[in-house]
């Protein structure tokens, strides 16, 4: 296993986790229509990224089998499981506005981590003259950057009111 295969494996896992966490946030904040609908759309991107990474990984001897479950099928069970898992986690007992900020922060950090893996893959692919990997990273990374921008914008918009409400 080399650095590129390690990065592919980490990125595959990261995109799967981000897709799942976006769905969990969409379900948890169902009343926030923008969050609900945009998070579902963004989870589809991560789901597609994970599938494309798994396909590209076969050329590098990796079997990242079991493509992630289609987002729309996983929604109810993942949200319920996530609520159970996070029942004692920091942020789980917060008021809804702060919980949303907590979730957006978590999503932002996950997307940022994936973005760094995409950048590492770009650099590795260029050095190894791996045109297919370079094309994969070049087509997926802009979507990851849009995921980051969305969470950052939502945090900027929601934080003032949510933080002022804690008096």
């Amino acid at each position: 296993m080399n650095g590129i295969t390690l990065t592919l494996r980490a990125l595959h896992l990261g995109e799967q986790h981000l897709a799942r966490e976006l769905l969990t946030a969409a379900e948890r904040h169902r009343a926030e229509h923008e969050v609900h609908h945009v998070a579902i759309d963004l989870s589809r991107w991560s789901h597609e990224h994970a599938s494309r990474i798994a396909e590209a990984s076969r050329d590098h001897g990796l079997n990242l089998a079991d493509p992630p479950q289609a987002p729309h099928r996983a929604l109810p069970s993942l949200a319920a499981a996530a609520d159970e898992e996070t029942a004692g986690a920091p942020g789980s007992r917060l008021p809804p506005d702060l919980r949303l900020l907590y979730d957006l922060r978590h999503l932002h950090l996950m997307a940022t981590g994936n973005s760094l893996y995409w950048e590492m893959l770009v650099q590795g692919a260029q050095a190894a003259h791996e045109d297919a990997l370079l094309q994969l990273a070049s087509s997926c990374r802009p979507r990851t950057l849009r995921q980051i921008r969305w969470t950052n914008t939502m945090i900027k918009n929601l934080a003032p009111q949510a933080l002022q409400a804690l008096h």
Side-chain angles (χ1 to χ4, degrees), residues 102-156:
Y102 178 88
D103 287 347
L104 288 167
R105 177 193 171 276
H106 179 64
L107 294 171
H108 185 83
L109 293 175
M110 291 184 74
T112 300
N114 287 347
S115 175
L116 293 173
Y117 281 128
W118 282 120
E119 183 61 36
M120 292 165 57
L121 192 59
V122 165
Q123 298 305 319
Q126 285 176 338
H129 305 287
E130 294 267 358
D131 292 339
L133 285 181
L134 187 58
Q135 185 176 9
L136 171 68
S138 297
S139 68
C140 293
R141 188 163 184 254
R143 286 175 161 184
T144 302
L145 294 174
R146 287 184 62 194
Q147 291 170 325
I148 293 169
R149 280 195 299 274
W150 176 72
T151 55
N152 192 45
T153 299
M154 292 300 294
I155 289 169
K156 284 180 179 176

Side-chain angles (χ1 to χ4, degrees), residues 21-106:
E21 292 298 313
L22 282 162
L23 288 176
T24 299
E27 185 62 25
R28 184 178 292 137
H29 304 288
R30 180 176 281 282
E32 296 286 338
H33 295 289
E34 181 180 350
V35 172
H36 178 75
H37 294 291
V38 173
I40 288 173
D41 288 345
L42 296 180
S43 76
R44 289 185 182 118
W45 287 355
S46 285
H47 175 75
E48 180 187 325
H49 293 172
S51 294
R52 292 180 65 187
I53 293 164
E55 185 178 318
S57 295
R58 287 187 203 113
D59 294 339
H60 294 272
L62 285 177
N63 180 10
L64 300 175
D66 298 331
Q69 191 175 15
H72 63 280
R73 289 191 208 155
L75 190 59
S77 60
L78 287 174
D83 284 342
E84 282 181 28
E85 282 180 19
T86 60
S92 64
R93 305 225 187 273
L94 294 174
D97 287 351
L98 282 180
R99 179 60 193 253
L100 177 54
L101 281 178
Y102 178 88
D103 287 347
L104 288 167
R105 177 193 171 276
H106 179 64

